[in-house]
Each structure stands twice: as structure tokens, then as C-alpha cells.
């Protein structure tokens, strides 16, 4: 493919909208189709598109490998932390009802933070899988 | 005539057989994994088709509903969400194995790998 100009320009135009759409799907999980896993995959596909068009080193400069590894663990810790917060506030493990001043608000908060943890881990995992596959040729 | 209204299930059967044929009849390892994905997608379609109720809408709560709303069964949707995640992980693992096989044998074709294995 001799002409790299059109993919580069279109990618630079599209990637902010892809990331914004990923965030929209993440936070509208209880009002429409969406949630953590779908949002994580959409968010990661923005970074993967950048890595495909502009090269793996450019992608690694923006999102370094240890940041990706940190994000995978951070999402799991957020999920487990919400569970232990429920324990600390007097309920069972992962009991959402005690997280707010009434059960409905508690459910909203619990679902929000749990889905955030899931989305973070899934996005980081997809980017890590892309790095692992794409970085094999030269290593 | 009712058989034409059940086109969800006809599409499910066709997709499942297409995926099964690709897994069985093609020697390229990457094509086998793609066939497995098509098979998986057909099973998802089947489950969600079975979860639909006559006159039911998508199982997302409509906050201010003037009359009673009939929702489809949400349990198959949740199960299929989990199954999609499992499918993604399985595909990633399968492709990692194919990459390793390609590095070890130099080829992705199943019959060439068998031929290389049979030489003494």
C-alpha cells in the first residue's frame, strides 16, 4: 500500500470519536446496551487502531507496557475494593445496598464502580494482547 | 407458513452448519479458528431467539412507562454476554497457539505439519 496518507488522516479524525463512544457505552450500561466489557473492547480498539496505523513503537510510547500491566491489576483491585467496602460498611461482600444512603443509590454506585473496574481491565487486556501478538516479529 | 416466521432458527441452522463445515473441511489453522467463531455466533443467536417473548421488547427497564411493558427474558442475554467474553478469550488463546505453531513448524497448514511429524 503505497499511499499511507488516507489511513493516517482518517485514523487521526476517528480515534477521538472511538474513545468517546467507548466512554459513552461504559457509562450508559444501565440505560441501554453497554457495560464494562463492551466499553473496554471499544476503548481498546481506538488504541489498537493507532498502533496499526502509526506503528507499534508509537503506540508503546503513548501507552507503555508497564502502564498497561498496572491498569489490568487496577481494574481487578477496584472490583475487589467495592466488595470489601461493602464488608466495611456493615453488609455482605459485594453488597451494593449499604454503599449509599438508601439501597437504590447504593446499587447505582456499586454498579458504576464495578463496571469501571471491569472496563479498565478489559481495555488494558485487549491492548496487552495486541502488543504481545504484534511485537513477536522483531523480538 | 409458520415455518417462514421462524427464520431466526433457520439462520441459526445455516450458520452452525457453515461453521462446522469450515472447522472440519479446511486445513488452514486460522480458518479453523474462524469457523469455530461462526459456530459460536450461531449458538448465541439461538439462545437469544429462544429468550424472546411474544410482544416483548428488549429487557432494559423503561423508567416512565404509561402502561404495562412486556420485557423479553433477560436471563439468556446475560448468559450470552458471559459466553461472548469466554469466546474472545478462547479465540485469543487459539491464535496464540497458532502463532507458536507457525514459529515452530514454519507453516499454518495442517497436512504439512502432519507430513513434517511423520518423517523419521
Amino acid at each position: 500500500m503505497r499511499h499511507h496518507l488516507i489511513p493516517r488522516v482518517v485514523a487521526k479524525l476517528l480515534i477521538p470519536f472511538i474513545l468517546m463512544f467507548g466512554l459513552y457505552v461504559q457509562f450508559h450500561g444501565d440505560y441501554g446496551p453497554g457495560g464494562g466489557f463492551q466499553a473496554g473492547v471499544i476503548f481498546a480498539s481506538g488504541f489498537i487502531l493507532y498502533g496499526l496505523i502509526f506503528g507499534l513503537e508509537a503506540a508503546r510510547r503513548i501507552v507503555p507496557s508497564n502502564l498497561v500491566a498496572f491498569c489490568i491489576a487496577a481494574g481487578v483491585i477496584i472490583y475487589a475494593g467495592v466488595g470489601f467496602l461493602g464488608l466495611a460498611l456493615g453488609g455482605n461482600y459485594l453488597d451494593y445496598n449499604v454503599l449509599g444512603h438508601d439501597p437504590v443509590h447504593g446499587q447505582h454506585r456499586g454498579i458504576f464502580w464495578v463496571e469501571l473496574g471491569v472496563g479498565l481491565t478489559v481495555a488494558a487486556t485487549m491492548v496487552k494482547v495486541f502488543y504481545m501478538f504484534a511485537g513477536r516479529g522483531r523480538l | 407458513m409458520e415455518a417462514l416466521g421462524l427464520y431466526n432458527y433457520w439462520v441459526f441452522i445455516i450458520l452452525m452448519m457453515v461453521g462446522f463445515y469450515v472447522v472440519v473441511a479446511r486445513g488452514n489453522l486460522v480458518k479453523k479458528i474462524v469457523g469455530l467463531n461462526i459456530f459460536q455466533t450461531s449458538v448465541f443467536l439461538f439462545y437469544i431467539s429462544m429468550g424472546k417473548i411474544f410482544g416483548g421488547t428488549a429487557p432494559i427497564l423503561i423508567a416512565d412507562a404509561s402502561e404495562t411493558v412486556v420485557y423479553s427474558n433477560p436471563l439468556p442475554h446475560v448468559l450470552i454476554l458471559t459466553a461472548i467474553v469466554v469466546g474472545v478469550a478462547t479465540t485469543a488463546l487459539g491464535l496464540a497457539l497458532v502463532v507458536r505453531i507457525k514459529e515452530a513448524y514454519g507453516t499454518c497448514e495442517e497436512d504439512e505439519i502432519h507430513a513434517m511429524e511423520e518423517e523419521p
Side-chain angles (χ1 to χ4, degrees):
Chain A
M1 194 169 33
R2 284 228 40 99
H3 301 282
H4 297 279
L5 189 60
I6 292 184
R8 291 171 92 101
V9 169
V10 174
K12 276 199 166 164
L13 286 175
L14 269 184
I15 285 177
F17 291 105
I18 294 177
L19 298 181
M20 185 64 66
F21 185 62
L23 288 177
Y24 166 77
V25 167
Q26 164 88 45
F27 293 118
H28 282 76
D30 39 354
Y31 304 109
F37 172 70
Q38 297 90 310
V41 174
I42 294 176
F43 201 79
S45 72
F47 288 112
I48 291 175
L49 180 65
Y50 187 81
L52 281 176
I53 303 278
F54 293 98
L56 196 58
E57 288 82 20
R60 276 222 166 101
R61 244 180 287 133
I62 292 189
V63 191
S65 285
N66 37 358
L67 176 66
V68 173
F70 173 75
C71 283
I72 294 180
V76 180
I77 288 180
I78 291 177
Y79 201 118
V82 167
F84 284 117
L85 193 62
L87 262 183
L89 288 175
N92 301 318
Y93 184 72
L94 276 179
D95 194 0
Y96 295 152
N97 290 331
V98 301
L99 289 176
H101 48 88
D102 68 275
V104 177
H105 279 94
Q107 291 277 337
H108 267 293
R109 278 193 197 149
I111 290 177
F112 174 79
W113 284 107
V114 159
E115 290 293 323
L116 201 65
V118 167
L120 192 60
T121 296
V122 168
T125 306
M126 290 297 153
V127 171
K128 186 76 164 167
V129 165
F130 172 67
Y131 282 174
M132 288 294 113
F133 274 132
R136 269 197 95 88
R138 59 213 66 200
L139 290 172
Chain B
M1 261 308 128
E2 191 190 301
L4 281 180
L6 299 169
Y7 65 90
N8 272 359
Y9 299 99
W10 288 113
V11 170
F12 150 68
I13 292 174
I14 293 173
L15 272 181
M16 185 164 79
M17 287 305 122
V18 165
F20 187 50
Y21 173 75
V22 174
V23 168
V24 165
R26 288 286 174 251
N28 195 344
L29 289 178
V30 178
K31 286 186 184 176
K32 281 183 193 289
I33 291 182
V34 169
L36 204 60
N37 263 305
I38 296 177
F39 194 97
Q40 223 167 297
T41 306
S42 76
V43 173
F44 298 158
L45 182 66
F46 179 52
Y47 255 81
I48 297 195
S49 303
M50 282 204 298
K52 171 113 167 75
I53 297 182
F54 284 125
T57 175
I60 298 169
L61 194 64
I62 302 176
D64 41 357
S66 48
E67 66 266 354
T68 40
V69 190
V70 180
Y71 296 108
S72 296
N73 194 0
L75 189 59
H77 294 250
V78 169
L79 287 174
I80 295 305
L81 255 180
T82 308
I84 291 176
V85 177
V86 169
V88 168
T90 309
T91 304
L93 180 64
L95 286 174
L97 284 174
V98 168
V99 165
R100 196 67 196 95
I101 287 177
K102 177 84 194 278
E103 283 179 8
Y105 288 98
T107 173
C108 260
E109 298 287 330
E110 184 190 27
D111 36 6
E112 292 177 20
I113 296 174
H114 279 310
M116 267 190 255
E117 282 290 300
E118 273 164 26
E119 289 167 18

